[in-house]
Amino acid sequence: MKPFLAAVWVVGSFLHAVCKCPVQASEFHLDGDYLLGGLFDIHHVTVPFYQDKPKAIDCSSKTFLLPNYRRFQLMRFTVEEINNSTSLLPNVTLGYEMFDHCSDTLSFAGALKLISTNNLIHPWAEPNENLSKVIAVVGPFTSTQALTISPFFMVDLIPLVSYGSSGSIFSQKSKYPSFLRTVHPNENTLNVIVNIIEHFSWRWVAFLNSDDDFGIDGLEVFRRRIKITEICLAYNKGLSENTDHYQMFKQIEAQNVNVIVVFAPKTYAEAVIEAAIQLNITNKVWIADDGWSLNKRLPKMNGIKTIGTVLGVAQPVITIPGFDDFISSTKSQMPCADAAQQTFCNQVCNCSDLLVEDIVAADPSFSFAVYSAVYAVAQALHNSLKCDAGRCDDNNKVLPYIVLKELRKSNFTLLNQSVQFDENGDPSFGSFSIVFWNQSGKAQEVGFHHFYPTDYFYINNSKIQWHTNGEVPTALCSPECPEGYARKQIGIHKCCFNCEICPAETYVNNTEDPFKCTACKETEWSGRGSTSCSLRLVEFIPFTDTGALVIMVGAGLFIAQTLAVCVLFAVNYNTPVVRSAGGPMCFLILVCLGLCTPSVFFYFGKPTTVSCILQYIPFILFYTVCLACFVVRSFQIVCIFKIAAKFPKLQSWWTQYHGQWLLITGAFATQALLLIISLSCYPPRPYNETSWYPEQIVLSCDLNIETTFCSLVLLVLLCCLCFIFSYMAKDLPKNYNEAKVITFCLLLLILTWIMFSTVYLLYRGKYIQTFNALAVLSSLYSFLLWYFLPKCYIIAFQPQKNTQQYFQGLIQNYTKTMSQ
């Protein structure tokens, strides 16, 4: 029996030795001359982590993330590739110490391990002493992870090169001096998303973001970015593990939102899309960020085609040569799950059942970001070690801050990509692809956005198969206003509005401000519901106008007639007719009438300040003298025939002190003073009349009524006095009709200006200047024709009536009649 048992034991030992798989070194650790740290969330804590006492997290029991495991393997591959290179770090080996950073806030052990020396941390050590062998860290992936662990590395300026943390805050070098990244910040990603929205003229969108540092920063950037656009944020929701998707989609449907931006990590995005399928959310446009736009599982889900059209912003898929072979060889070794693999904080991945095809086919996003991050550190170390002529300087001790200096100066080519960083540590290379989830369940590239060397955005619309039968879907809160209508905002969103037609003399410019009816310039006009203004037709009466020529000829004849009357009166100065007309006063009247005449010529041509002054001032001033003279003449007639007998002292005083000249001089001086005051306050000036005819600008002169009111009142007062005195003498001798003639002239004068005032109230076209000039000329002719011309006729053709005896006979007959 004993020999049999011994034989069985020998055979069993042999079989065990033959069948036992070799225990491989942990995938998380590799020895080398210099170590790189690596932080990858291969597993993720998806629910709140509760524990009754402090203990390390067993990451391998949490949700497995295949794309992140692929990136983890990619770093291993990249380090191996560099170690096999003869040109990069030729006699130096790189090692790594990687950790499964499965929790944003509870996975500190890995970070602390990377900055420790002999399992001790020396926060106040000298820069060159007690330092970890880790010269740089690749990772972490998320912004929250970077925010929680980056301060540990910033203290000693250990380079932290992230391949996925896109939060805007990391561009602030005062807070994160040794932070660099090979992924574009949120601002760049959201610029592309906004460009897509604007490209298809979508205005009414929802924004679903993860309720973490990455999503909150994205929301702030998105809000800031759309402020300068016509895009409105109709709905926003922070996503978490506890999101009520039913209520969320209910509110989206209530807001009638057709475009939904999902800016969240893969796990949250998958939950949203799956809920949309289950809740039968249809006919939407979904815009994915670069974290899930190349998702391999969602495009092939049952019901994915019913939710609408999915577009996304993705990092270009750059094939990493040799990576697939590396995965095949790695997985073929099949390491045993041995306790040796779990030497620190459960850093193990029970991934032996993964197929090579699954790893290779996983979401390739951020692959080049990991690849370039490792190469950037290696290149910086290469430069720090002064590796020339196929060998590195072993005596040159390299510290992390030295590597950081070289990292900032990175400038090398990797897989036809020029790898550089800007002053903020952000990548100065790369681009984004714009993808569409096609009917075959693949992310098809339909456009791109290049950042360097210049911004260039392009989408091939014909490659997108819309869920709306080929037509681009609409996303508007309110339909566009018809042409000529301005928007009147409803509520807080500028995308929600009513349409109101713009009134005449205004227009709406949709490119500048669609919410405002802008007033046209004074030189322009527009009809109701206009989108632009037209130049007004400038109107004024030129000197060549027929009416102007007729009036100017009439004015010239008036001057000639006035001169002729002056000559005739001067020759017959001592005759009774001339003396009864006023004697020397009639020459003053004629001269003043002549001085009024030039005003007529200034009503024509383009108005100027000088022409406007000469239109009114000479006429008002000298016509005042004329009216004052006729007031005196009317008073003298009444005085001779009526007042002298009743009030002899009044006539004596009037004669003794030359009352007529005092009155004329006083009227002249008063009017001159009033005109000087009005000229100093508001002189007549050119005026553009635009209110009567929208399509015209009528050039005229503006006579301010307020400042010239007193001057006009003086004219009216003299006219009334003259009319009163002349009317009192209506019963004088029939043949002695001096007062009647003055009354008739005044009636013509009053009638002329009443007619002009009526026309002025009803018409303000360019011919108002012609009517004004005609009224002035008519005022002058009323006295010349009806006061002076009859006397000229008597002098020239009835000399028998121009005798002393004839006039004395008329007076004696009137006296007898009055005495009876």
Side-chain angles (χ1 to χ4, degrees):
M1 187 66 180
K2 288 183 177 179
F4 174 76
L5 292 175
V8 171
W9 179 82
V10 171
V11 174
S13 299
F14 175 77
L15 292 174
H16 177 72
V18 172
C19 298
K20 184 177 179 181
C21 57
V23 177
Q24 301 293 329
S26 171
E27 291 181 313
F28 292 85
H29 175 77
L30 178 69
D31 289 327
D33 298 325
Y34 292 92
L35 292 183
L36 293 181
L39 297 173
F40 295 85
D41 47 344
I42 301 173
H43 298 86
H44 181 63
V45 178
T46 57
V47 295
F49 185 81
Y50 299 106
Q51 57 187 21
D52 54 0
K53 62 180 180 180
K55 59 182 178 181
I57 301 174
D58 183 7
C59 290
S60 62
S61 65
K62 306 305 175 185
T63 304
F64 178 71
L65 303 176
L66 179 59
N68 290 358
Y69 180 71
R70 185 182 190 275
R71 294 165 197 140
F72 167 81
Q73 292 293 345
L74 184 59
M75 179 171 173
R76 296 182 65 237
F77 161 76
T78 308
V79 171
E80 182 178 300
E81 186 178 71
I82 293 171
N83 286 336
N84 292 332
S85 172
T86 57
S87 58
L88 185 61
L89 298 173
N91 60 319
V92 174
T93 58
L94 280 181
Y96 51 75
E97 193 77 57
M98 293 195 284
F99 294 92
D100 185 359
H101 200 74
C102 63
S103 172
D104 293 340
T105 56
L106 300 176
S107 294
F108 285 101
L112 296 174
K113 176 70 174 177
L114 293 174
I115 61 174
S116 65
T117 304
N118 298 324
N119 295 325
L120 295 175
I121 297 175
H122 304 276
W124 299 287
E126 291 297 323
N128 296 334
E129 298 179 3
N130 299 322
L131 291 177
S132 166
K133 289 182 67 176
V134 174
I135 59 168
V137 178
V138 175
F141 182 55
T142 71
S143 296
T144 300
Q145 291 169 350
L147 283 169
T148 55
I149 62 97
S150 59
F152 298 130
F153 301 94
M154 301 298 108
V155 174
D156 290 326
L157 293 180
I158 299 175
L160 193 65
V161 187
S162 175
Y163 55 88
S165 303
S166 56
S168 302
I169 193 171
F170 299 116
S171 297
Q172 300 179 17
K173 293 301 102 178
S174 59
K175 294 183 179 180
Y176 301 94
S178 62
F179 186 96
L180 298 93
R181 52 186 164 191
T182 53
V183 65
H184 289 282
N186 285 340
E187 186 173 356
N188 288 358
T189 308
L190 287 164
N191 273 341
V192 181
I193 290 175
V194 171
N195 286 341
I196 293 173
I197 296 172
E198 287 190 306
H199 177 79
F200 294 111
S201 299
W202 294 325
R203 300 289 180 264
W204 194 236
V205 301
F207 192 89
L208 308 181
N209 60 282
S210 54
D211 196 13
D212 57 12
D213 298 285
F214 166 74
I216 294 171
D217 177 69
L219 175 62
E220 292 176 356
V221 172
F222 184 73
R223 281 177 168 160
R224 186 169 62 247
R225 177 66 176 82
I226 64 174
K227 276 186 178 179
I228 58 175
T229 70
E230 294 186 359
I231 301 169
C232 294
L233 181 56
Y235 178 78
N236 165 245
K237 178 67 177 178
L239 302 173
S240 66
E241 290 86 355
N242 302 318
T243 299
D244 187 340
H245 294 102
Y246 172 77
Q247 286 296 328
M248 181 183 75
F249 284 118
K250 185 178 179 181
Q251 293 177 4
I252 289 175
E253 292 291 349
Q255 293 281 356
N256 194 27
V257 179
N258 293 330
V259 175
I260 303 173
V261 179
V262 182
F263 195 81
K266 169 180 173 289
T267 53
Y268 293 156
E270 286 180 343
V272 169
I273 299 301
E274 289 170 359
I277 295 173
Q278 293 172 5
L279 296 172
N280 195 29
I281 304 300
T282 59
N283 300 326
K284 304 294 182 187
V285 175
W286 305 81
I287 302 180
D289 66 18
D290 55 339
W292 65 280
S293 58
L294 299 181
N295 191 289
K296 297 296 184 179
R297 186 173 67 87
L298 289 179
K300 295 180 172 63
M301 282 185 63
N302 291 329
I304 190 67
K305 296 178 182 179
T306 64
I307 67 171
T309 303
V310 180
L311 301 176
V313 176
Q315 297 180 25
V317 178
I318 300 175
T319 301
I320 310 295
F323 177 62
D324 295 354
D325 296 336
F326 171 81
I327 295 297
S328 299
S329 63
T330 299
K331 287 304 167 185
S332 66
Q333 296 177 11
M334 295 293 292
C336 294
D338 188 74
Q341 292 179 310
Q342 306 183 40
T343 57
F344 180 74
C345 292
N346 301 311
Q347 294 301 306
V348 65
C349 177
N350 297 323
C351 310
S352 58
D353 58 340
L354 285 176
L355 298 177
V356 172
E357 293 78 7
D358 292 336
I359 301 174
V360 171
D363 184 353
S365 300
F366 304 95
S367 294
F368 186 76
V370 174
Y371 190 68
S372 59
V374 177
Y375 260 97
V377 175
Q379 190 72 45
L381 180 61
H382 180 93
N383 296 334
S384 300
L385 290 172
K386 297 181 171 49
C387 299
D388 296 319
R391 185 171 181 81
C392 297
D393 186 0
D394 297 334
N395 299 321
N396 188 14
K397 186 176 182 180
V398 175
L399 299 174
Y401 75 91
I402 297 174
V403 176
L404 175 63
K405 289 181 181 178
E406 294 297 331
L407 261 173
R408 290 171 175 166
K409 296 186 290 185
S410 295
N411 188 0
F412 62 95
T413 301
L414 184 65
L415 300 182
N416 297 321
Q417 296 284 327
S418 178
V419 179
Q420 299 179 64
F421 299 97
D422 63 17
E423 65 277 6
N424 297 322
D426 297 329
S428 295
F429 61 92
S431 61
F432 277 118
S433 295
I434 299 166
V435 297
F436 156 69
W437 289 6
N438 59 26
Q439 299 296 319
S440 60
K442 294 182 180 180
Q444 175 186 351
E445 183 173 349
V446 295
F448 54 82
H449 187 118
H450 294 310
F451 295 104
Y452 307 98
T454 57
D455 267 19
Y456 185 70
F457 176 83
Y458 171 76
I459 291 182
N460 188 343
N461 297 351
S462 62
K463 290 186 177 181
I464 303 175
Q465 300 169 356
W466 300 105
H467 61 273
T468 50
N469 297 324
E471 295 184 1
V472 178
T474 59
L476 302 171
C477 178
S478 300
E480 292 295 332
C481 290
E483 193 175 79
Y485 284 73
R487 304 174 184 176
K488 185 177 181 182
Q489 185 171 320
I490 304 172
I492 62 172
H493 293 294
K494 60 186 177 182
C495 296
C496 303
F497 48 81
N498 291 325
C499 298
E500 293 185 354
I501 192 168
C502 287
E505 303 306 315
T506 66
Y507 70 99
V508 59
N509 188 333
N510 287 323
T511 58
E512 292 182 0
D513 189 356
F515 293 88
K516 180 182 179 182
C517 292
T518 306
C520 294
K521 297 178 182 178
E522 188 179 1
T523 57
E524 299 175 335
W525 74 282
S526 69
R528 189 166 176 261
S530 296
T531 57
S532 63
C533 294
S534 303
L535 285 175
R536 293 176 184 261
L537 181 64
V538 179
E539 296 280 14
F540 62 91
I541 301 297
F543 289 102
T544 55
D545 182 77
T546 303
L549 290 174
V550 171
I551 291 175
M552 288 189 291
V553 169
L557 291 175
F558 181 85
I559 294 174
Q561 291 171 7
T562 302
L563 289 173
V565 172
C566 285
V567 171
L568 184 62
F569 273 38
V571 173
N572 298 277
Y573 180 73
N574 293 318
T575 61
V577 171
V578 175
R579 298 176 74 103
S580 67
M585 193 178 295
C586 65
F587 292 101
L588 178 60
I589 295 173
L590 289 170
V591 169
C592 288
L593 290 175
L595 292 174
C596 289
T597 309
S599 296
V600 174
F601 295 92
F602 294 101
Y603 282 93
F604 309 111
K606 189 174 182 179
T608 62
T609 301
V610 174
S611 66
C612 288
I613 292 174
L614 295 178
Q615 273 185 25
Y616 296 108
I617 302 304
F619 176 74
I620 293 175
L621 180 62
F622 294 113
Y623 209 76
T624 298
V625 177
C626 292
L627 287 177
C629 291
F630 281 109
V631 168
V632 169
R633 288 297 302 131
S634 302
F635 178 76
Q636 286 177 334
I637 293 170
V638 174
C639 187
I640 291 172
F641 288 97
K642 292 190 175 183
I643 299 178
K646 297 180 180 179
F647 304 100
K649 291 184 178 181
L650 178 60
Q651 184 184 14
S652 174
W653 181 90
W654 179 269
T655 305
Q656 181 181 357
Y657 293 101
H658 304 284
Q660 67 273 25
W661 300 113
L662 287 176
L663 179 61
I664 294 170
T665 303
F668 176 79
T670 302
Q671 188 66 281
L673 179 62
L674 293 175
L675 289 174
I676 290 173
I677 293 173
S678 66
L679 280 174
S680 61
C681 294
Y682 192 96
R685 61 190 66 182
Y687 170 70
N688 296 340
E689 176 58 65
T690 59
S691 58
W692 282 73
Y693 302 99
E695 72 281 2
Q696 296 180 3
I697 297 178
V698 179
L699 303 184
S700 61
C701 292
D702 180 25
L703 181 65
N704 189 270
I705 299 300
E706 294 179 359
T707 57
T708 58
F709 178 75
C710 293
S711 296
L712 297 177
V713 167
L714 180 58
L715 278 175
V716 174
L717 179 61
L718 291 174
C719 187
C720 291
L721 285 173
C722 184
F723 185 81
I724 290 171
F725 289 137
S726 62
Y727 185 78
M728 289 173 62
K730 68 182 185 303
D731 56 346
L732 293 180
K734 183 176 181 180
N735 292 328
Y736 194 82
N737 54 5
E738 192 100 5
K740 294 179 180 179
V741 169
I742 294 174
T743 303
F744 181 72
C745 292
L746 290 172
L747 287 174
L748 286 179
L749 176 66
I750 294 170
L751 182 62
T752 296
W753 287 103
I754 288 176
M755 292 174 62
F756 173 75
S757 299
T758 304
V759 173
Y760 187 79
L761 291 173
L762 300 176
Y763 172 74
R764 295 289 178 85
K766 67 175 184 177
Y767 290 106
I768 195 67
Q769 294 289 88
T770 304
F771 291 130
N772 202 342
L774 185 61
V776 170
L777 191 60
S778 176
S779 301
L780 301 178
Y781 266 109
S782 64
F783 286 113
L784 181 67
L785 293 180
W786 305 108
Y787 184 79
F788 289 102
L789 199 58
K791 294 174 175 53
C792 294
Y793 179 79
I794 292 174
I795 293 172
F797 300 106
Q798 293 182 343
Q800 68 278 9
K801 294 183 179 180
N802 191 13
T803 61
Q804 191 70 28
Q805 294 80 3
Y806 181 78
F807 273 81
Q808 287 179 351
L810 292 175
I811 294 172
Q812 289 173 359
N813 290 334
Y814 176 76
T815 305
K816 291 178 181 179
T817 303
M818 292 297 295
S819 62
Q820 293 176 357

